[in-house]
Amino acid sequence: MAEQKVAAYICQGCGLGDRLDTADLAKIAQKEGKVAFAKEHEFLCNADGVQLIKNDIAEGVTHVVIGACSRRAKTEAFSFPGVHVSRANLREGVIWVRPDSDEHRETTQEMAADYIRMSCAEAKRVNIPAGNPNHGGNKRILVVGGGMSGMTSALEASRAGYQVVLVEKSGELGGWANKLYKRIPFNEPFNGPQDTGVAEMAAAVQADGNITVYTNAVVSKTGGAPGRFAVEINHNGTPVAEEVGAIVQATGFTTYDTAKLPELGGGKSPNVVDQAGLEALMKAANGGAIKRPSDGGEVKNVVFVQCAGQRDDTGTHLPYCSGFCCATSVKQAMYFKDANPDVDTTVLYTDLRMPGNNEDFYRSAQNKGVTFSKGKVKSVEANGNQCKVAFHDLILNDENAAIADADLVVLATGQVPNAGTDIDAWTQAETESNNGQNAEAAQRAQELKVVSVLNLTYRQGPDVPQLKHGFADSHFICFPYETRRTGIYMAGPVRRPMDIAQATEDATGAAMKAIQAVENAAVGRAAHPRSGDLSFPSVRKEGCTQCKRCTVECPFGAIDEDEQRYPLFNEERCRRCGTCMGACPVRVISFENYSIDTVGSQIKSVDMPDEFDEKPRILILACENDAYPALDMAGMNRIEYNPFVRVVPVRCLGSVNLIFITDALNSGYDGVMLMGCKHGDDYQCHFVKGSEIANYRLSKVDDTLKSLNLETERVATYEVAITDIERVPKLINEYAAKIEEIGMNPFKGF
Amino acid sequence: MSEMKYHNNFLREVEERVEEGHMVKMCMQCGVCSGSCPFGPHWAHPPQELFMMIRAGKREEVLSSDSMWMCTSCYQCIVRCPRKLPITHIMHGLAYLAKREGKVPKGQPTAQFGQMFWDNLTKTGRVNELKLSLSLYFKDGFGQGIKNAMAMQSVGLGLMKAGRLNPLEILGGHSIKDKSGFQAMLKKAREIEDTRRKLA
């Protein structure tokens, strides 16, 4: 690479010229920031200003410092490929959060000057990333599971021009849909059950030249990373090796076992079936009248019990709602009504959930005479060839309501995901087994491993991590289909409970994510959420102590261990959050443009007033995904905050190394505020576990502070959401008041 | 007809025999009708509940209830029902079925007044307001009738002075031109309705 040449540009637009002494800022950039030259411009983001920078780049400038608006603004104007850009946030971060008056002019100018110093310091330590050179380039997509979701993913990927390998465990394609008589309507006028279309879809998959289908096959081993997954398929006992670029897992669900519901007659009578059982009866009847299973008698009265073994708050059964079963019961009641309107069909529900167009379907069922009664079912008892369904009628408030002569009872049980190994339980069992010394734990680990779907050779376990209730996903609202294993995407009921319509939509989304992953991997870039990021982590092996913290903490299982037990980075699996960099106690992990040095130098470049100036300095390490935009928006809303804070954006709070904090306190900062995302079950962290890990690490910072003889309040951690626009300035001001109360950092000036 | 709890027998009967009864099955139990009814708190079973009882096969309880007799035809429920059920009409339909089945609670005032109004109207083809008010005053016995009449004395005198009440109507009152034709028409209409609704 050419020699590093840093230039600074100070904008005078948007009121910056009026509020700040830009000539002074330019001088600081040159003298303290040691840039090659600094220029002022009255309107830097206009064509003239941008051209000015472009001309300088043509003359050899490699690193640009822009003192203007936030890094989140004017990103298109200030985008110069192959050149590093550091943005000093003088607008949202300084003049918009400070009052425009003479008495505040000095502190405002100091704020701006520090941001210029920080940007110059950062720019000089940044190398321009060139992308991961050791990337794979395979763009084939493996789809695991040949049901409606899997087949849809395969077809969609094929239509987009990608080769697909489809692996199906059973002998034929179709999955659950094969077992259905009809499906819930999915197009106008949504008034009756529709054909599944599964046979046509399976035929389309078989006929597709882009799709290689393996039936009677399972994935026995998966290694590698996006763009270069090496997959071993056990096809009818014969091992087949395939190389793929990304994986869509559409392994679906199994039904909740009715034998676990004896109080609802599960397993007690052949006349009590689950919804899958009813589909089987209907398939056997093939459009004719369903006969009573116990004696082949006529069915005159059918009762549907909703939420059977679901939405259970006692901890015995499934705690969640599976979402599809209300509409399925409607569909199944219609099977009877369409064949013979004289059959009584009663749906006993506590809450009827009819999302989307299912509302029309529900209305159609009422019109056909399906009765819906709001009631909580207490018991189902077999009595000869009939069943007695006892329930609490919630509309008539009748505790002892009962349907005494049901010929058939259908239990609407939920979906249990086929997500493979619970890797958290597996990791625990593995740890407890202590290399086979504890036989019970070793046995448990083995049992957990046997059900694995992907059999990943990853250090962190053989399958993708599960989120809630055993479903595999990362975040079903913000990052659907994504998992904590880059390049592996979930589609359909393995991700959350759903019906066919939602599953096929899901499958399309997951296929698109897989394509995004292979395309980015093929050019050595990050897949998501930092899509297109060319930086990647590297480790300086000489300094590594093999402590394994990075390999354990990486939220994405990107780091394995090599034969000598050094961390082995799989860059394509990496999301570039920097959690490894934050974890490393010897600080040997870094990115070209984001390292201990780029952040540390910003912290240390701030001009530190001495103890008697009564100008404290508070460092804010803010997550760039949520907290930093919240601070920017506070600026846009002109909400003032304390002038003594200096904000350094970080990729994720997980990337905050404890050295940043000790460095800050040693160099005289009076307090450090850490702003990260919400963690826990309903987390908002873009890197899933980053903020959680950071919080865990920081929970131990108190000891460090005590050993330095400092007050524990000098480091404070906050959960900040992107919407906390008014809360963030308040937090800052409260914290500043507290620092004033406890006094200045005694390390100042040393 | 024997009562079959949580079967559709009574629902089917209502569909057949009650005006707009075929709409009962479309109720989705949201309760907006019950919440909108100005008399709601005074009903033993507001409309939502009546519909549920019909579906639950509680024939005896529904027909002998006085709830549907409480409806004042304000039409608030019809206006608000998200499923567009003609609730007011169904209430009147249920009341009529109850009457035909002899299930009306004894002394139900709305039912009593309805009968008086009908008898008064069908006799001459015109409503005789003087006779109607008097039969209403005296429905609970002579003594009570005198009391009622005395209490309403000033209203009656006022109406007479204004020419809105003719005391001579007591002698029989005026009628329409073709009284027997009118009565034949009513009889035929009832025959048609009874056949259609299987009420005969």
Side-chain angles (χ1 to χ4, degrees):
Chain A
M1 200 196 289
E3 205 176 306
Q4 189 193 56
K5 187 174 178 189
V6 189
Y9 301 86
I10 317 290
C11 181
Q12 294 171 323
C14 295
L16 289 166
D18 302 332
R19 298 279 306 275
L20 301 168
D21 181 350
T22 50
D24 179 54
L25 295 178
K27 209 163 73 191
I28 286 173
Q30 219 153 2
K31 280 205 166 163
E32 298 180 41
K34 303 245 170 13
V35 298
F37 57 83
K39 292 180 179 174
E40 294 162 69
H41 191 278
E42 59 189 7
F43 192 172
L44 197 58
C45 62
N46 74 4
D48 180 53
V50 171
Q51 195 54 47
L52 170 80
I53 302 174
K54 279 189 177 156
N55 291 344
D56 289 345
I57 290 168
E59 299 278 311
V61 167
T62 57
H63 291 58
V64 172
V65 172
I66 292 176
C69 41
S70 161
R71 63 198 325 222
R72 300 177 56 84
K74 300 285 170 203
T75 47
E76 274 169 30
F78 297 138
S79 161
F80 309 105
V83 172
H84 173 77
V85 179
S86 277
R87 304 277 297 265
N89 188 356
L90 306 184
R91 191 178 70 172
E92 286 88 341
V94 182
I95 63 164
W96 281 359
V97 292
R98 296 301 306 149
D100 182 10
S101 65
D102 281 344
E103 56 173 320
H104 294 112
R105 194 166 278 272
E106 185 189 319
T107 51
T108 308
Q109 181 72 23
E110 283 173 4
M111 234 177 158
D114 273 345
Y115 282 127
I116 294 291
R117 289 184 188 102
M118 287 155 80
S119 286
C120 293
E122 183 199 24
K124 288 170 72 182
R125 282 158 186 87
V126 163
N127 296 316
I128 291 147
N132 166 27
N134 308 312
H135 60 79
N138 194 306
K139 293 188 181 177
R140 295 171 87 204
I141 291 165
L142 170 72
V143 177
V144 185
M148 290 298 261
S149 318
M151 290 195 295
T152 307
S153 277
L155 287 170
E156 292 291 345
S158 158
R159 275 181 212 135
Y162 291 82
Q163 299 281 318
V164 178
V165 180
L166 180 61
V167 174
E168 163 61 35
K169 194 168 162 184
S170 76
E172 56 173 346
L173 295 174
W176 272 109
N178 273 342
K179 300 178 182 170
L180 304 184
Y181 174 64
K182 293 271 172 80
R183 60 180 276 198
I184 297 162
F186 56 99
N187 49 28
E188 284 289 344
F190 303 99
N191 63 356
Q194 279 181 271
D195 285 330
T196 58
V198 64
E200 293 79 357
M201 191 183 268
V205 169
Q206 296 284 12
D208 195 315
N210 281 340
I211 306 175
T212 313
V213 180
Y214 293 99
T215 48
N216 289 315
V218 291
V219 175
S220 50
K221 193 174 160 190
T222 307
R228 54 173 181 87
F229 281 115
V231 182
E232 220 177 87
I233 298 165
N234 180 346
H235 180 223
N236 261 330
T238 320
V240 186
E242 291 278 4
E243 183 162 321
V244 297
I247 299 171
V248 173
Q249 184 179 331
T251 41
F253 68 100
T254 42
T255 51
Y256 191 68
D257 187 2
T258 50
K260 291 178 185 166
L261 299 163
E263 69 277 18
L264 296 180
K268 295 262 180 86
S269 160
N271 299 336
V272 179
V273 295
D274 62 4
Q275 291 181 326
L278 190 90
E279 292 293 337
L281 290 175
M282 195 60 199
K283 266 215 136 169
N286 195 24
I290 290 177
K291 296 289 174 213
R292 193 160 56 201
S294 66
D295 65 343
E298 198 187 339
V299 173
K300 291 184 193 153
N301 188 11
V302 191
V303 178
F304 294 87
V305 178
Q306 296 310 109
C307 305
Q310 301 194 67
R311 301 173 69 207
D312 175 66
D313 51 11
T314 63
T316 326
H317 304 299
L318 304 179
Y320 51 87
C321 162
S322 290
F324 75 98
C325 0
C326 285
T328 299
S329 286
V330 165
K331 175 189 76 174
Q332 297 187 337
M334 277 198 195
Y335 290 168
F336 291 96
K337 283 288 181 186
D338 288 344
N340 176 10
D342 290 335
V343 176
D344 283 349
T345 50
T346 307
V347 179
L348 293 174
Y349 67 95
T350 49
D351 300 282
L352 213 53
R353 293 188 177 175
M354 294 288 169
N357 290 305
N358 284 342
E359 192 63 32
D360 288 342
F361 190 38
Y362 167 44
R363 194 178 288 123
S364 165
Q366 285 186 297
N367 212 9
K368 287 180 180 177
V370 179
T371 304
F372 295 86
S373 287
K374 192 175 170 77
K376 189 151 183 57
V377 176
K378 296 199 273 199
S379 68
V380 178
E381 280 164 30
N383 178 17
N385 286 317
Q386 292 189 317
C387 290
K388 183 184 174 187
V389 182
F391 65 102
H392 177 190
D393 188 319
L394 296 166
I395 297 283
L396 304 179
N397 197 19
D398 180 0
E399 293 254 15
N400 302 310
I403 299 172
D405 54 356
D407 297 303
L408 199 57
V409 176
V410 184
L411 304 181
T413 54
Q415 292 180 332
V416 181
N418 289 334
T421 302
D422 176 352
I423 63 164
D424 292 332
W426 175 80
T427 308
Q428 199 184 345
E430 278 282 290
T431 316
E432 283 171 22
S433 87
N434 194 15
N435 286 326
Q437 301 215 17
N438 177 342
E440 181 275 326
Q443 167 81 15
R444 188 149 41 92
Q446 183 53 31
E447 277 166 16
L448 284 163
K449 177 99 197 285
V450 158
V451 299
S452 173
V453 173
L454 296 175
N455 289 295
L456 295 171
T457 56
Y458 287 26
R459 187 202 183 280
Q460 291 185 3
D463 269 316
V464 304
Q466 298 171 3
L467 190 63
K468 269 185 193 173
H469 314 311
F471 288 91
D473 198 4
S474 67
H475 196 294
F476 84 95
I477 296 171
C478 296
F479 312 110
Y481 330 121
E482 291 179 15
T483 68
R484 267 179 274 157
R485 297 293 176 260
T486 312
I488 304 176
Y489 302 93
M490 293 291 152
V494 69
R495 186 169 85 75
R496 66 173 177 80
M498 60 178 80
D499 67 7
I500 294 178
Q502 290 170 314
T504 47
E505 200 178 290
D506 232 49
T508 311
M512 297 302 122
K513 288 306 286 189
I515 290 168
Q516 182 192 19
V518 295
E519 288 298 339
N520 273 308
V523 287
R525 299 191 301 213
H528 47 75
R530 298 179 59 85
S531 190
D533 186 354
L534 286 164
S535 71
F536 57 93
S538 61
V539 58
R540 196 166 46 81
K541 260 191 187 178
E542 310 85 82
C544 174
T545 60
Q546 301 171 315
C547 74
K548 297 195 195 121
R549 251 186 242 177
C550 55
T551 57
V552 171
E553 288 195 1
C554 174
F556 306 105
I559 315 168
D560 292 331
E561 279 152 26
D562 67 11
E563 305 86 53
Q564 292 153 319
R565 320 208 75 178
Y566 283 112
L568 181 66
F569 281 83
N570 292 277
E571 292 84 359
E572 301 97 323
R573 295 185 201 162
C574 170
R575 304 271 174 96
R576 281 72 169 168
C577 60
T579 297
C580 48
M581 179 178 124
C584 185
V586 286
R587 303 177 294 282
V588 293
I589 301 172
S590 61
F591 298 78
E592 290 287 322
N593 57 0
Y594 185 66
S595 62
I596 298 289
D597 213 17
T598 61
V599 178
S601 64
Q602 289 183 69
I603 294 171
K604 285 180 257 185
S605 68
V606 165
D607 185 48
M608 195 58 63
D610 74 29
E611 209 175 330
F612 310 103
D613 268 355
E614 295 194 352
K615 284 178 181 166
R617 287 289 177 259
I618 295 164
L619 175 67
I620 298 181
L621 293 166
C623 163
E624 67 177 12
N625 301 300
D626 276 21
Y628 199 72
L631 281 162
D632 270 0
M633 285 187 279
M636 291 173 201
N637 287 292
R638 309 295 196 277
I639 305 173
E640 287 169 24
Y641 57 76
N642 190 287
F644 302 130
V645 296
R646 300 293 179 261
V647 184
V648 177
V650 292
R651 286 189 181 182
C652 173
L653 209 57
S655 70
V656 168
N657 196 297
L658 283 181
I659 193 76
F660 298 162
I661 294 164
T662 42
D663 271 3
L665 293 170
N666 279 325
S667 55
Y669 283 92
D670 302 282
V672 181
M673 293 178 87
L674 297 135
M675 295 185 180
C677 301
K678 190 170 165 56
H679 53 89
D681 254 5
D682 45 353
Y683 70 90
Q684 295 178 350
C685 176
H686 284 50
F687 300 102
V688 190
K689 291 283 171 194
S691 60
E692 186 174 317
I693 289 167
N695 262 274
Y696 177 74
R697 285 185 210 137
L698 293 162
S699 66
K700 306 198 179 293
V701 85
D702 283 4
D703 297 337
T704 316
L705 292 171
K706 278 177 198 151
S707 73
L708 292 167
N709 243 335
L710 285 171
E711 298 82 356
T712 52
E713 291 92 337
R714 295 220 185 259
V715 178
T717 316
Y718 300 89
E719 278 186 3
V720 171
I722 196 161
T723 48
D724 284 345
I725 300 160
E726 290 179 357
R727 180 173 160 255
V728 171
K730 213 181 280 174
L731 290 177
I732 292 174
N733 295 338
E734 283 167 9
Y735 187 71
K738 176 172 272 172
I739 289 299
E740 199 166 336
E741 204 177 288
I742 59 179
M744 296 282 183
N745 180 352
F747 290 118
K748 261 188 216 293
F750 285 96
Chain B
M1 197 178 290
S2 78
E3 216 168 88
M4 302 260 289
K5 289 286 163 61
Y6 293 97
H7 277 251
N8 291 342
N9 310 38
F10 185 43
L11 177 65
R12 290 199 186 96
E13 185 187 347
V14 168
E15 287 180 350
E16 200 167 57
R17 303 181 77 191
V18 170
E19 185 190 355
E20 306 276 11
H22 66 284
M23 288 297 283
V24 169
K25 60 175 184 276
M26 297 309 290
C27 166
M28 62 176 188
Q29 295 294 322
C30 66
V32 163
C33 50
S34 307
S36 305
C37 181
F39 272 75
H42 307 288
W43 294 35
H45 307 292
Q48 172 205 9
E49 232 173 271
L50 278 178
F51 295 151
M52 201 64 233
M53 288 160 74
I54 293 169
R55 294 193 212 164
K58 305 194 169 189
R59 186 175 194 271
E60 201 52 42
E61 265 182 75
V62 171
L63 293 182
S64 58
S65 159
D66 82 335
S67 293
M68 55 275 195
W69 295 100
M70 304 287 282
C71 172
T72 60
S73 311
C74 74
Y75 285 80
Q76 188 94 297
C77 50
I78 293 195
V79 170
R80 290 189 179 170
C81 176
R83 279 292 177 83
K84 298 193 163 59
L85 264 72
I87 301 166
T88 310
H89 303 167
I90 298 170
M91 290 302 118
H92 296 327
L94 283 173
Y96 185 60
L97 179 64
K99 178 156 173 62
R100 292 298 297 267
E101 292 286 310
K103 305 279 184 195
V104 185
K106 231 172 165 224
Q108 212 297 322
T110 315
Q112 279 182 335
F113 178 72
Q115 188 64 54
M116 278 174 207
F117 187 90
W118 182 256
D119 293 345
N120 182 300
L121 172 71
T122 52
K123 204 175 254 174
T124 61
R126 291 207 184 266
V127 177
N128 186 321
E129 287 176 347
L130 186 60
K131 279 187 172 176
L132 182 62
S133 358
L134 287 177
S135 47
L136 186 62
Y137 295 168
F138 286 90
K139 81 177 172 65
D140 296 323
F142 187 74
Q144 185 60 41
I146 297 293
K147 268 188 209 162
N148 289 342
M150 293 306 281
M152 295 299 284
Q153 198 181 25
S154 61
V155 177
L157 286 172
L159 282 169
M160 238 189 295
K161 271 185 201 155
R164 308 298 300 169
L165 187 72
N166 183 356
L168 294 177
E169 289 279 306
I170 196 81
L171 302 174
H174 65 298
S175 79
I176 57 167
K177 275 178 194 156
D178 182 11
K179 208 157 67 179
S180 59
F182 166 67
Q183 277 159 353
M185 193 173 73
L186 285 181
K187 191 166 168 251
K188 187 67 195 170
R190 178 160 172 154
E191 265 171 41
I192 295 170
E193 184 73 6
D194 283 3
T195 318
R196 196 159 61 101
R197 297 251 174 238
K198 299 198 175 127
L199 288 164

